[in-house]
Amino acid sequence: MKYSESTKEKRRWVRRDVNFPVRLIFPTHGLREVQSANFRMLDLSEGGAALYVGGFSGSPDYFYLQFGDEKSELVSCYLVQRTQHTLSCRFSNPLPTAQIDAIITQKEMDLTIESLFSETREDLVNDFLGSFAS
């Protein structure tokens, strides 16, 4: 499908379609408490991201994203658009392309390893239970 110049998307950075979990961390009760929730990232660029949040409506206008475990770096973000099931955010400071590529590579590797172990665990359980069959 061809787009005319007026309808062509004009973005500073290319959005990369992704599908991996991230943690959203946000302050509550002023700054006295911090809450977190895990969501699925849908796309990622140097300037921001889109998250699938389902029916979650508690996300504030300013929050942090954490791409790894509890010890990984926090990326400050602010909300730019909210729909029924997604939210789009912009990073307070754009991330370098190398860092975006590293995040995507690491997440893909984590998901691959996770899928290998979950399949192995199921196979081992089935083999174990099958050994009792007469």
Side-chain angles (χ1 to χ4, degrees), residues 22-129:
V22 294
R23 182 174 307 157
L24 187 140
I25 300 172
F26 52 96
T28 58
H29 300 100
L31 295 174
R32 294 183 301 225
E33 291 182 28
V34 175
Q35 291 188 349
S36 69
N38 293 323
F39 297 110
R40 184 126 321 254
M41 181 163 283
L42 302 174
D43 70 48
L44 177 63
S45 75
E46 288 80 350
L51 305 170
Y52 178 79
V53 295
F56 181 74
S57 61
S59 62
D61 292 338
Y62 183 81
F63 52 90
Y64 298 93
L65 280 179
Q66 193 169 41
F67 294 99
D69 62 11
E70 299 84 29
K71 297 176 185 175
S72 64
E73 176 184 1
L74 297 176
V75 177
S76 63
C77 308
Y78 58 92
L79 184 69
V80 292
Q81 182 179 11
R82 187 184 322 230
T83 66
Q84 183 178 1
H85 298 289
T86 63
L87 66 85
S88 297
C89 64
R90 177 157 302 177
F91 301 143
S92 296
N93 295 308
L95 300 177
T97 301
Q99 186 175 358
I100 295 295
D101 292 342
I103 289 168
I104 293 171
T105 300
Q106 182 63 48
K107 285 299 197 175
E108 287 174 347
M109 190 176 357
D110 291 348
L111 291 172
T112 300
I113 290 170
E114 184 179 302
S115 71
L116 291 174
F117 281 114
S118 66
E119 291 172 17
T120 302
R121 186 171 47 235
E122 289 172 10
D123 291 343
L124 290 173
V125 169
N126 290 336
D127 288 347
F128 176 74
L129 293 175

